[in-house]
Amino acid sequence: MSDLRRAAAEWLAQDPDPDTRAELQALLDAGDDAALADRFASRLEFGTAGLRGELGAGPNRMNRVTVMRAAAGLAARLLAGDPNAQDGTSPDQATDANAQDGTPAGRATDVPGGPAGMAGGTGRPGVVIGYDARHGSRQFALDTAAVVTGAGLRAWVMPRPLPTPVLAFAVRHLGADAGVMVTASHNPPRDNGYKVYWGDGAQILTPLDAEIAAAIDAVGRVDELPLGKPGDWTVLDDDIVEAYLVALDGLPLDGSPRDVSIAYTPMHGVGLEVLRRAFARAGFPEPAVVAEQAEPDPDFPTVAFPNPEEPGAMDLVMALAERTGADLAIANDPDADRCAVAVPGPDGWRTLTGDEVGGLLAEYVLRHTRGGDRLVVTTIVSSSLLGRIAERHGVRFAESLTGFKWIMKARTAPDDRQVFGYEEALGYSLGGDGGVPVRDKDGIGAALAIAALAAEAKRDGRTLLDLLDDQARRYGLHLTAPLSIRVEDRALIAGAMTRLRTAPPTALGGLQVTRVDDLTAGSGGLPPTEGLRLRMPGARVVIRPSGTEPKLKCYLEVVRPPGDNDRDAAARTLEAIRTDLAATLALT
């Protein structure tokens, strides 16, 4: 028997899922060694993004065995000690980073609105588990609960499919030591994933990911794991959603008008119910909803990719906005942690970039909060505009590596009070004078704030496009655009990065490349990361592989000084850079 067939037989013997057992048995019976190699010659690697991959049998797929192993590894790491240690920060930083709510290391001492007896710091370590409406998500959540309770931990499971920001909020609200969200966010329907949070309510970082991965490697057969059963874990009720909505009351919305009409889509995901309740609670009119995309559907039948950034993904909501005469179109991705915005313009509806929304929300938050200790954060691939906004408003500014796991750990001083963080990929976390209530991107909270901003502009006879022009006049025009290239073979991405390092381009879009930064060596005090940054006069390009999809992602920015507000000229320069970069990469 070959090693592949032996590994498949061993997997088959422990797999509790009749569907993946049948899939694997069919491959064994057919002698399909290529398909077996695809599933067993490699495996999904647990990292700072947790796990994410295609559903199916074998260690290189998302399935019940993979999830149970991950849960057992997480439980082992929690039981190994100090569940309050922060990923990649010193003990002092850990305390300061989580002091915004007055509790050390993100542990709740009181859980208003939560079930009795769930305060952190007592008894066994605990894990709160959420899930979206994708194929397999609920079962993966229940498997996680069974494994962690079988290992002797406490577990709380969300009452139904809910947005990722509700889970991220619940970690701190319940005083849990960790959180798990079963979701693949905006990936294609064939995928699912497993995102892990620590006791501070933020996603895990190095070295914690490696410690959990090592614990997963030590897990034996899953059919030999001790398992809890229903009744051993707590199924939460709607109080947890209500507590999240109460927390959103802390957003700086007071005094803003509410006269704004919105067209909305949850994009076949789980955002609709919570967003409707959040809007009603804040006094906004109920949005018009895209009927074809209103209900959760794990097959995402109306979009090629359920990602608001993808071309065509927002066509239905913009069409609804046009029909209803809406002021604004808003989309959440399927797990509602991202928020996309479209507005009417002279040439019809257009989507705003994540950087445009980030700049607008940053100034909105800074106008409605106070204090020189306020901190705003973005990533090295996002627009440089936020730094200029922070300087003008006299607040602290930090850059982080890509992803909210880094944004929520960024600090410039021990007493930083983060009130805003964003990344260009439509992710935003914002708060009032008490800091951010959710330590991850929050598409519901962002939708509330952008509605308030649009209502303010409408009251003054203006639009979000007018506000963008105001920013260009104040800070200079900052125009950004992505170049994302999807591949079937990730080795092509590694090859492209090697070529760029060996022979970087000398010019792009007619601009001389004056400097190349290899981000694997670290940059500006940040940890090393896979990527390159190319600098040109008045322009910048960052190139990096995606951490969750088989994509090479490039982030382009052209900056014109205040007074030079020629968007057409800047757009032509941006497109020229994009064209030359695509030719240099040679991946299409």
Side-chain angles (χ1 to χ4, degrees):
M1 180 182 291
S2 71
D3 289 343
L4 281 176
R5 293 183 70 83
R6 183 177 298 107
E10 290 174 358
W11 189 279
L12 192 65
Q14 62 176 312
D15 189 351
D17 189 329
D19 292 334
T20 47
R21 285 204 312 270
E23 171 195 338
L24 189 52
Q25 188 62 60
L27 296 178
L28 287 167
D29 292 345
D32 192 340
D33 288 345
L36 290 175
D38 186 39
R39 290 158 174 78
F40 286 90
S42 60
R43 64 177 180 175
L44 297 180
E45 296 292 337
F46 186 92
T48 56
L51 293 166
R52 191 176 295 189
E54 186 176 348
L55 292 160
N60 198 33
R61 295 287 191 272
M62 284 296 298
N63 50 64
R64 293 181 66 185
V65 176
T66 297
V67 164
M68 293 171 76
R69 287 174 53 82
L74 173 61
R77 173 59 186 82
L78 286 167
L79 290 168
D82 194 11
N84 298 320
Q86 298 300 295
D87 332 317
T89 61
S90 70
D92 287 344
Q93 289 173 317
T95 300
D96 293 330
N98 296 301
Q100 295 174 6
D101 62 352
T103 60
R107 299 307 309 276
T109 57
D110 183 31
V111 283
M118 290 189 181
T122 61
R124 300 161 292 161
V127 181
V128 57
I129 304 158
Y131 58 99
D132 66 9
R134 282 180 175 266
H135 292 295
S137 287
R138 182 175 184 273
Q139 183 62 63
F140 293 165
L142 295 177
D143 286 336
T144 299
V147 170
V148 300
T149 54
L153 279 67
R154 297 174 297 162
W156 307 287
V157 179
M158 288 290 174
R160 57 186 178 278
L162 286 167
T164 291
V166 178
L167 181 280
F169 164 80
V171 174
R172 293 173 60 235
H173 179 72
L174 298 177
D177 300 282
V180 169
M181 182 66 192
V182 181
T183 181
S185 191
H186 55 273
N187 275 38
R190 65 177 181 271
D191 290 355
N192 213 326
Y194 199 82
K195 184 184 293 189
V196 177
Y197 297 78
W198 216 234
D200 62 345
Q203 296 175 52
I204 61 169
L205 282 182
T206 300
L208 189 53
D209 60 335
E211 295 169 0
I212 296 173
I216 293 171
D217 289 343
V219 175
R221 292 171 60 107
V222 299
D223 59 344
E224 296 175 354
L225 290 172
L227 299 178
K229 57 186 182 301
D232 292 338
W233 57 85
T234 299
V235 178
L236 298 167
D237 58 24
D238 195 63
D239 285 350
I240 192 63
V241 181
E242 187 65 20
Y244 164 77
L245 294 171
V246 169
L248 294 187
D249 291 345
L251 299 183
L253 306 178
D254 291 345
S256 299
R258 297 295 189 263
D259 179 19
V260 62
S261 59
I262 293 172
Y264 170 74
T265 178
M267 207 158 286
H268 300 296
V270 298
L272 178 57
E273 176 216 355
V274 179
L275 181 131
R276 273 179 168 159
R277 290 171 62 178
F279 269 55
R281 185 181 183 91
F284 288 105
E286 182 170 340
V289 179
V290 176
E292 303 95 317
Q293 298 176 332
E295 295 302 319
D297 187 331
D299 293 318
F300 308 110
T302 66
V303 286
F305 291 96
N307 181 352
E309 291 183 288
E310 294 285 342
M314 290 190 66
D315 285 355
L316 288 177
V317 72
M318 287 192 291
L320 176 62
E322 177 71 24
R323 290 196 307 272
T324 59
D327 300 309
L328 201 62
I330 293 177
N332 288 137
D333 67 340
D335 68 326
D337 63 349
R338 288 172 170 83
C339 180
V341 179
V343 295
D347 300 317
W349 283 79
R350 81 163 177 97
T351 56
L352 302 185
T353 69
D355 285 315
E356 288 174 327
V357 175
L360 292 175
L361 287 179
E363 286 218 278
Y364 177 83
V365 170
L366 293 177
R367 285 200 315 271
H368 291 272
T369 55
R370 297 290 180 269
D373 61 341
R374 289 170 294 167
L375 172 70
V376 295
V377 184
T378 193
T379 70
I380 58 173
V381 304
S382 302
S383 173
S384 57
L385 173 61
L386 185 60
R388 299 190 180 189
I389 291 173
E391 183 179 11
R392 172 71 66 92
H393 285 266
V395 302
R396 300 166 183 176
F397 167 73
E399 280 190 329
S400 75
L401 295 184
T402 306
F404 262 78
K405 55 186 176 288
W406 295 105
I407 288 173
M408 300 315 300
K409 296 295 197 300
R411 286 290 178 273
T412 64
D415 63 338
D416 282 342
R417 176 168 50 96
Q418 188 174 140
V419 295
F420 182 71
Y422 98 93
E423 60 182 355
E424 49 70 43
L426 310 181
Y428 316 94
S429 178
L430 59 158
D433 285 323
V436 295
V438 177
R439 292 179 180 169
D440 198 7
K441 51 189 174 290
D442 181 0
I444 306 295
L448 281 172
I450 202 69
L453 178 59
E456 279 189 353
K458 182 179 179 180
R459 176 198 60 196
D460 299 333
R462 315 192 74 220
T463 69
L464 296 187
L465 296 180
D466 294 325
L467 301 186
L468 289 173
D469 287 340
D470 290 346
Q471 288 191 326
R473 284 187 286 269
R474 279 195 299 271
Y475 306 111
L477 179 63
H478 292 66
L479 207 60
T480 61
L483 171 62
S484 294
I485 303 174
R486 186 180 294 271
V487 299
E488 293 297 325
D489 183 359
R490 288 182 182 267
L492 296 174
I493 293 176
M497 294 299 294
T498 298
R499 290 194 304 273
L500 283 173
R501 285 191 170 92
T502 303
T506 58
L508 291 172
L511 300 176
Q512 182 183 1
V513 176
T514 58
R515 178 174 167 180
V516 178
D517 299 324
D518 189 342
L519 302 180
T520 58
S523 174
L526 295 176
T529 188
E530 174 57 45
L532 292 168
R533 180 169 53 207
L534 283 59
R535 296 189 183 275
M536 297 152 280
R540 177 221 69 190
V541 171
V542 179
I543 305 164
R544 60 176 284 272
S546 170
T548 57
E549 299 177 86
K551 281 184 177 181
L552 185 64
K553 304 188 76 171
C554 309
Y555 309 83
L556 289 58
E557 181 177 32
V558 170
V559 180
R560 299 293 178 91
D564 182 358
N565 199 24
D566 189 340
R567 289 184 179 273
D568 290 339
R572 287 193 297 270
T573 300
L574 199 62
E575 186 57 33
I577 294 172
R578 181 185 175 119
T579 300
D580 286 356
L581 182 60
T584 299
L585 294 171
L587 287 175
T588 57

